[in-house]
Amino acid sequence: MKEKVIKKLNLIFAERLLLEIDDRISYGYDGSFGQYIPEAVVQVLSTEEVKETVILADEYEVPIYPRGAATSLSGGPLPVHGGIVLDFSQWTQKLEIYPDDLLIKVSPGVKTEDIHKLAESHNLMYAPDPSSSKICTIGGNLAENAGGPRGVKYGVTKDYVIGLEVVTAKGKVIRTGGNTVKNVTGYDLTKLLIGSEGTLGIITEATLRLIPKPQDTLTAMAIFDDLYTAGQSISKILTSGVRPSKMEILDQNSINKVEDYAKLNLPRNAAAIILIEVDGDEDVLPKELNVIKEALESIGVNDIRIAESKEDEENLWRVRKLVSPAIVTSGYTKISEDATVPLSKIPDMFKKINELKNKYELDIVVFGHAGDGNLHPSINTNMRDQSEVSRVEDAIEEIFDYAIELGGTLSGEHGIGTMKRAFFEREVGQDGLELQKAIKKAMDPKNILNPGKIFPQDGEKRLVLRND
Ligand SMILES: Cc1cc2nc3c(=O)[nH]c(=O)nc-3n(C[C@H](O)[C@H](O)[C@H](O)COP(=O)(O)OP(=O)(O)OC[C@H]3O[C@@H](n4cnc5c(N)ncnc54)[C@H](O)[C@@H]3O)c2cc1C
């Protein structure tokens, strides 16, 4: 990068411009794989600073990479072509609630958990709840269109964003949407930008929609003797007339890893468990759970345990929260996918993953957001064993292809980033790919905004987990 650019960045950011290698290295990774060292990092604290940086980047054609808390599991914030990382994690000044309008306005670096807390203190709820909400930022959630366990009833991030402030690739500050749920003025740029992974514009403020906080919750754990029935029960529950607020599945391997890790008295022999939460009026909840119980009994559930106290309920949800830490401590590197399939195809996907486990001799754990078909097959991998890494790459490719064959998608919530870009065309087709590239070109003609993401690189045909 030209010395001139560094000098100009220094004038804007002073001590918030990081050039030392020790600092830059820590901006070279995310929750996925690969390490890429940026040439400079700037810790932005205002729209004006973003604007000035983008104008510089545009003039000197330097790549810029927005970055929140770097919990992305798809390589989203990685600075794959050098350039400047825009660190948003320090920009938390705005977190304003407008209870009468059911709105919150936020800066991009605000942690999702802080939005939840503020909304709840007004008896309201910001529904999207990625499991990483204690650490991830709203900017990252917006750029990835993050989901979470509550997605089954309440949808995902895009369903709760009604307005954005965005810095374009030319350094212009625009506003999309506004302060009203209804707004049909022109193209829906808000929806286009949500989930665009920082490749179309840089989000500097968001207006989020709130809903009333449900009065209470009730949780049950359904225990199954075979995985196929567990998969089938998901559609059965969702067509029972009751909409659970959360529905998470763990296969036997996940159950045992959590049990080894935390000793929670889980049924080790079960093929799968499903954790089901209903929320709403406290008088109605037992009746709703009863409807679900009858649906499950009709399909052949082994046992159903209903939480008898709030402590019981917390313990049941602890099981789900501990899956990732339990996997990480039990082996090597956790490679987590999020191929998503239509609800009726969940049993087929389970069957396929089991076949792949045997075919490639891999330690695959399956858990995830059962209620919206969003499974997280996670593979414990020794990244130093090239033969094992190749088998993992083959297995993941088969999972992706099968998800698409079943009418599903490569990614339900983690995004395409660098990890899935080689497969992008398989889902959207050649014409679909060309149209998406044309949108990128129109909005970022010099390809300075988060380059190397979403679109396959020249000749790239498959997933490569190691970039050494
Ligand atoms: C343990 C764990 C659990 C997780 N659970 C879930 C889950 O339940 N649901 C889910 O959806 N995801 C989950 N994730 C993935 C991840 O947390 C989400 O994708 C999250 O939205 C990323 O937020 P972040 O602040 O870490 O963003 P980063 O990882 O820093 O960045 C993500 C993307 O956003 C872009 N970006 C960041 N800020 C901006 C901005 N202001 N403007 C434009 N682009 C920007 C980046 O360039 C990048 O492409 C999980 C991850 C972990 C590690």
Side-chain angles (χ1 to χ4, degrees):
M1 197 159 62
K2 290 203 170 87
E3 195 53 33
K4 231 183 208 172
V5 180
I6 299 284
K7 276 192 183 145
K8 289 187 175 179
L9 287 174
N10 196 27
L11 286 176
I12 307 169
F13 292 99
E15 76 282 1
R16 287 183 286 114
L17 165 67
L18 310 180
L19 296 172
E20 295 298 327
I21 184 71
D22 299 7
D23 289 326
R24 287 186 289 126
I25 280 181
S26 55
Y27 286 87
Y29 65 89
D30 68 354
S32 67
F33 308 95
Q35 196 168 33
Y36 304 85
I37 304 180
E39 289 156 279
V41 177
V42 292
Q43 295 181 312
V44 284
L45 297 179
S46 69
T47 304
E48 193 54 33
E49 287 181 354
V50 175
K51 183 180 157 177
E52 288 182 57
T53 312
V54 175
I55 289 171
L56 262 181
D58 174 56
E59 185 182 347
Y60 293 95
E61 298 199 21
V62 180
I64 42 179
Y65 309 89
R67 182 182 177 92
T71 63
S72 166
L73 296 170
S74 59
L78 296 178
V80 292
H81 298 309
I84 307 165
V85 164
L86 292 148
D87 173 7
F88 285 91
S89 65
Q90 308 303 307
W91 185 2
T92 57
Q93 286 92 334
K94 186 176 261 184
L95 175 57
E96 292 167 3
I97 189 159
Y98 302 85
D100 293 343
D101 292 321
L102 296 166
L103 297 179
I104 277 190
K105 288 184 187 274
V106 278
S107 306
V110 170
K111 283 197 187 84
T112 314
E113 184 185 51
D114 293 337
I115 301 173
H116 289 149
K117 283 185 185 158
L118 179 62
E120 280 161 29
S121 70
H122 291 262
N123 215 16
L124 295 167
M125 178 165 91
Y126 173 64
D129 62 336
S131 308
S132 50
S133 61
K134 276 189 188 338
I135 40 173
C136 65
T137 67
I138 187 67
N141 293 177
L142 296 162
E144 298 287 4
N145 188 16
R150 285 202 288 243
V152 56
K153 181 167 181 181
Y154 294 104
V156 295
T157 301
K158 71 169 185 235
D159 302 314
Y160 294 86
V161 187
I162 58 172
L164 294 174
E165 180 190 82
V166 177
V167 176
T168 69
K170 283 281 164 206
K172 306 279 181 207
V173 181
I174 61 155
R175 286 199 166 265
T176 73
N179 298 311
T180 55
V181 171
K182 285 185 166 178
N183 179 332
V184 291
T185 306
Y187 298 130
D188 193 344
L189 296 181
T190 309
K191 287 274 194 302
L192 177 62
L193 285 151
I194 304 297
S196 67
E197 303 189 22
T199 64
L200 298 181
I202 297 180
I203 298 165
T204 46
E205 188 183 296
T207 305
L208 310 172
R209 188 167 75 84
L210 304 173
I211 56 175
K213 185 175 164 232
Q215 200 185 80
D216 203 0
T217 55
L218 194 57
T219 297
M221 175 165 78
I223 303 168
F224 295 87
D225 284 338
D226 87 280
L227 199 54
Y228 201 77
T229 311
Q232 282 178 316
S233 75
I234 293 158
S235 286
K236 195 82 190 165
I237 295 170
L238 290 170
T239 52
S240 69
V242 171
R243 190 87 188 167
S245 44
K246 293 184 190 171
M247 198 153 72
E248 297 284 307
I249 192 163
L250 279 75
D251 74 351
Q252 189 173 48
N253 206 359
S254 322
I255 298 168
N256 281 297
K257 286 205 191 308
V258 174
E259 193 55 20
D260 290 345
Y261 182 70
K263 307 275 178 297
L264 297 172
N265 198 21
L266 294 173
R268 279 189 181 276
N269 294 329
I273 57 175
I274 299 186
L275 296 167
I276 305 153
E277 179 195 86
V278 284
D279 71 353
D281 188 336
E282 61 183 325
D283 300 335
V284 177
L285 296 182
K287 290 178 203 150
E288 291 199 337
L289 216 45
N290 210 33
V291 173
I292 292 176
K293 197 168 165 234
E294 281 168 14
L296 287 171
E297 279 163 357
S298 75
I299 203 171
V301 67
N302 176 305
D303 191 15
I304 301 173
R305 297 183 194 167
I306 298 180
E308 283 173 7
S309 62
K310 281 292 153 199
E311 196 189 339
D312 268 6
E313 188 169 43
E314 266 170 38
N315 282 337
L316 285 182
W317 285 108
R318 240 187 107 209
V319 175
R320 171 63 179 87
K321 285 195 185 124
L322 290 179
V323 179
S324 288
I327 299 172
V328 170
T329 24
S330 75
Y332 297 99
T333 299
K334 170 176 168 269
I335 298 177
S336 183
E337 284 310 333
D338 78 324
T340 302
V341 295
L343 294 176
S344 63
K345 305 293 183 199
I346 292 175
D348 299 305
M349 192 45 137
F350 269 123
K351 215 165 146 195
K352 179 75 174 180
I353 294 170
N354 252 337
E355 281 165 26
L356 296 175
K357 203 162 148 177
N358 297 328
K359 177 174 169 186
Y360 292 109
E361 296 173 8
L362 296 171
D363 180 15
I364 310 186
V365 175
V366 188
F367 63 98
H369 314 305
D372 40 34
N374 186 192
L375 301 177
H376 291 319
S378 297
I379 313 179
N380 256 331
T381 311
N382 178 358
M383 293 297 281
R384 295 198 174 143
D385 179 344
Q386 186 52 55
S387 138
E388 185 174 316
V389 170
S390 300
R391 282 183 279 125
V392 171
E393 289 166 352
D394 289 343
I396 290 176
E397 184 163 359
E398 287 204 41
I399 292 173
F400 286 154
D401 282 339
Y402 195 57
I404 294 170
E405 191 186 320
L406 293 176
T409 174
L410 298 171
S411 177
E413 57 184 23
H414 294 166
I416 301 300
T418 54
M419 294 285 291
K420 295 171 201 130
R421 64 187 184 196
F423 305 104
F424 188 56
E425 190 177 343
R426 296 189 200 186
E427 182 174 333
V428 301
Q430 198 188 345
D431 292 342
L433 176 68
E434 289 311 320
L435 180 61
Q436 297 219 19
K437 277 186 171 171
I439 292 171
K440 167 75 175 166
K441 187 126 187 113
M443 292 179 73
D444 178 20
K446 292 185 185 167
N447 193 24
I448 55 168
L449 298 182
N450 209 7
K453 313 297 158 62
I454 302 183
F455 301 108
Q457 305 298 283
D458 282 344
E460 194 176 35
K461 289 272 177 269
R462 65 187 312 260
L463 172 71
V464 178
L465 288 169
R466 284 175 28 163
N467 68 339
D468 52 4

